[in-house]
């Protein structure tokens, strides 16, 4: 059987020698585990951690790093040696760029060409259609990532080198630049970035890295190609991201300030300007980054709810972030509005969204809802914790955010494995798992239509 790839469909591959059928989701998942398990084993070694880790805790930490989640069962700054922190940076970089992208980079570095199969896998992992020049796209992704992380490193070093000295300051700046751009949320400080809540340089540098990492590599590539031509020449996906991203940030900032500015445990301890700065940072980081500048557990119920919404929406497709994705949320919201107005097509910026894309977005939300429901129910059976805390932590893991309301550090052994599964699914995508279970079998057969009463 020949290998055929389409960006919205997975077709089976038959290995020539073994005769085993492999699909793109299986290959992507296996490549994920091929990096995950050896990394977990390494983290159990004394050379990487101060006191050593059990395999479960090492697997949890490695999963959190490679899925760019940031949830931790141990304190990153104090528990890991320098070698362990470097390994975490390596895993965060792999998770942010994607293992398929890095595989392509290594092959190109050694002068090798990607096979059609490898090209198809890389395009699928990056959400690209078959017409894209994968070599050029991979090059742009790597160059942009390195430039963004370098600039972030420089600005963070300006603050931390005078404070900590050259060696510690530069290492801290590099670690946080990589963690922020890849939306990982790992911090070397025990209280994340709470000590720098009112520091504009740290806040805006970290927030900028998170935003650019969360836009998506295809958006950055489109901006580079068509930025000089104006907004109307951008692809529809780019237009959606450029409009929805600041709207979500503004919405989160405003809601956090309104709900928390009188709370003495969170924003109420700062002056007005500092309150807006902290609210802005929490709005940005809640969407998939996982840093916090105030104690999340001290937020009011209303702020908790807003944070859950932002985490669930997440970042952009083909980005370093997670969630159901901004474009998915926008398409479903517009599709609902179009239905209520009795319009036959879903149109955004004078472009019609294909019905197949609308169906795919609906499928993402439904599958995500099922996975989250099963995960939350499982955690209710294994953990003695309030429902809102379980919901928050589960959505944080699924959306690869990494914010915690205090449950992660107290998880039972079964609870840790449940969260590991949720983080893996959140990073590879719920539809990847669904495709593996459903075993797609495309057909042109169409039966007669009949009505179903709904609503």
């Amino acid at each position: 059987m020949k290998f055929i790839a389409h960006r919205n469909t997975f077709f089976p591959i038959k290995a020539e020698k073994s005769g085993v059928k492999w699909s793109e989701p299986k290959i992507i998942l296996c490549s994920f585990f091929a990096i995950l398990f050896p990394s977990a084993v390494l983290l159990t070694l004394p050379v990487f951690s101060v006191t050593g880790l059990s395999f479960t805790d090492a697997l949890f930490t490695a999963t959190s790093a490679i899925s760019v989640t940031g949830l931790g069962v141990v304190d990153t700054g104090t528990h890991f040696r320098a070698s362990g922190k470097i390994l975490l940076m390596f895993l965060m970089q792999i998770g942010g760029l994607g293992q398929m992208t890095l595989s392509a980079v290594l092959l190109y570095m050694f002068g090798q060409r990607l096979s059609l199969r490898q090209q198809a896998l890389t395009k699928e992992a990056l959400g690209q259609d078959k017409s894209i020049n994968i070599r050029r796209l991979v090059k742009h992704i790597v160059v942009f990532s390195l430039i963004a992380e370098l600039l972030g490193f420089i600005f963070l070093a300006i603050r931390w080198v005078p404070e900590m000295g050259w060696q510690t300051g530069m290492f801290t700046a590099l670690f946080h630049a990589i963690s922020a751009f890849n939306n990982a949320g790992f911090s070397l400080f025990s209280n994340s970035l709470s000590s720098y809540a009112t520091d504009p340089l740290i806040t805006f540098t970290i927030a900028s890295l998170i935003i650019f990492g969360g836009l998506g590599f295809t958006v950055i590539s489109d901006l580079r190609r068509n930025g000089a031509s104006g907004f109307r020449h951008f692809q529809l996906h780019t237009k959606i991201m450029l409009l929805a991203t600041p709207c979500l940030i503004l919405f989160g900032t405003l809601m956090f300030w309104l709900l928390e500015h009188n709370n003495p445990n969170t924003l109420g301890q700062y002056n007005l300007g500092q309150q807006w700065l902290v609210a802005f940072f929490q709005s940005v980081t809640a969407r998939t980054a996982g840093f916090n500048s105030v104690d999340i557990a001290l937020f009011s119920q209303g702020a908790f709810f807003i944070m859950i919404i932002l985490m669930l929406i997440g970042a952009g497709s083909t980005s370093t972030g997670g969630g159901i994705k901004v474009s998915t949320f926008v398409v479903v919201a517009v599709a609902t509005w179009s239905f209520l107005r009795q319009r036959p097509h879903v149109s955004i910026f004078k472009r019609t969204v294909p019905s197949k894309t609308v169906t795919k977005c609906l499928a993402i939300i439904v599958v995500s809802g099922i996975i989250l429901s099963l995960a939350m129910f499982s955690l209710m059976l294994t953990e003695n914790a309030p429902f809102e805390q379980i919901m928050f932590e589960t959505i944080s893991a699924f959306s690869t955010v990494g914010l915690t309301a205090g449950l992660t550090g107290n998880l039972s052994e079964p609870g840790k494995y449940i969260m590991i599964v949720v983080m893996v699914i959140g990073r590879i995508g719920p539809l990847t798992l669904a495709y593996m279970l459903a075993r797609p079998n495309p057909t042109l057969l169409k039966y007669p239509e009949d009505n179903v009463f709904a609503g």
Side-chain angles (χ1 to χ4, degrees), residues 36-80:
L36 173 61
F37 288 116
S39 301
V41 172
L42 288 176
L43 287 175
T44 63
L45 302 177
V47 69
F48 290 103
S49 61
V50 176
T51 59
L53 282 176
S54 67
F55 179 75
T56 299
D57 288 347
L59 182 62
F60 189 100
T61 303
T63 303
S64 184
I66 198 173
S67 66
V68 290
T69 302
L71 288 173
V73 290
V74 295
D75 189 316
T76 305
T78 59
H79 193 88
F80 293 102

Side-chain angles (χ1 to χ4, degrees), residues 123-419:
K123 290 174 184 178
E124 183 61 46
L126 293 173
Q128 299 299 304
D129 57 40
K130 59 185 177 182
S131 63
I132 197 75
N133 186 317
I134 194 65
R135 185 186 184 104
R136 184 180 299 116
L137 178 63
V138 168
K139 177 182 176 182
H140 292 161
I141 288 174
V142 174
V143 170
F144 174 74
S145 300
L146 292 177
I147 292 175
E149 290 172 356
L150 176 61
L151 290 174
F153 163 73
I154 292 172
F155 283 109
L156 293 175
I158 291 174
R159 170 68 71 243
W160 284 330
V161 166
E163 180 181 325
M164 305 175 186
W166 279 99
Q167 184 174 349
T168 303
M170 292 181 71
F171 185 84
T172 303
L174 179 62
F175 186 94
H176 285 83
I178 292 175
S179 181
F181 178 76
N182 291 293
N183 280 223
F186 276 96
S187 176
L188 297 181
F189 305 111
S190 299
N191 60 354
S192 191
L193 296 176
S194 296
S195 300
Y196 301 93
T198 58
D199 189 319
L201 179 61
I202 298 297
T203 296
F204 286 118
T205 299
I206 296 290
S208 298
L209 289 169
I210 293 169
I211 292 170
F212 282 110
L215 279 175
F217 298 119
T218 51
V219 173
I220 300 301
S221 181
D222 192 22
L223 288 173
R224 186 195 61 81
R225 291 195 311 268
N226 303 311
S229 302
F231 184 82
R232 65 190 182 90
H233 292 281
F234 292 143
Q235 297 174 355
L236 177 59
H237 176 77
T238 301
K239 293 178 180 179
I240 290 174
M241 288 302 303
L242 292 181
L243 179 64
T245 298
C247 286
L248 286 170
I249 293 174
L250 180 62
F251 166 76
T253 303
L254 181 61
M255 293 304 297
F256 283 138
W257 185 82
L258 289 174
L259 293 168
E260 296 295 317
H261 72 280
N262 286 326
N263 186 342
N265 297 316
T266 55
L267 271 62
Q269 58 187 302
Y270 304 115
N271 63 43
L272 183 61
Q274 292 171 338
Q275 288 179 357
W276 283 107
L277 183 66
V278 175
F280 162 76
F281 184 77
Q282 286 305 141
S283 177
V284 172
T285 191
R287 289 187 38 238
T288 65
F291 293 104
N292 62 280
S293 55
V294 291
D295 190 343
I296 302 300
L298 300 178
F299 272 130
S300 64
Q301 293 294 313
F304 236 55
F305 180 70
I306 296 299
M307 194 165 292
I308 286 174
I309 293 175
L310 292 175
M311 289 194 301
L312 195 55
I313 294 174
S317 298
T318 72
S319 74
T320 60
I324 62 171
K325 308 301 184 186
V326 174
S327 52
T328 301
F329 170 76
V330 171
V331 167
V332 171
V334 175
T336 303
W337 181 245
S338 298
F339 172 79
L340 294 176
R341 300 192 68 184
Q342 297 295 298
R343 293 186 174 180
H345 305 292
V346 178
S347 301
I348 306 176
F349 292 115
K350 297 183 179 180
R351 292 291 186 273
T352 299
V353 180
S355 58
K356 191 171 185 179
T357 300
V358 177
T359 304
K360 180 180 180 181
C361 292
L362 290 170
I364 289 172
I365 291 178
V366 171
V367 173
S368 299
I370 293 172
I371 293 171
L372 286 170
S373 298
L374 290 174
M376 285 187 280
F377 178 72
S378 300
L379 287 173
M380 288 177 200
L381 299 178
T382 63
E383 310 304 314
N384 183 21
F387 172 71
E388 62 269 17
Q389 197 176 39
I390 289 176
M391 176 187 287
F392 186 94
E393 221 84 358
T394 305
I395 293 177
S396 178
F398 176 79
S399 300
T400 69
V401 178
L403 290 174
T404 178
L407 177 61
T408 298
N410 300 313
L411 284 171
S412 64
E413 195 84 354
K416 290 176 183 178
Y417 281 102
I418 292 171
M419 293 288 276

Side-chain angles (χ1 to χ4, degrees), residues 78-92:
T78 59
H79 193 88
F80 293 102
R81 301 183 189 275
S83 55
K85 296 169 185 175
I86 292 172
L87 177 58
L88 289 178
M89 284 194 286
F90 178 69
L91 293 177
M92 288 188 291

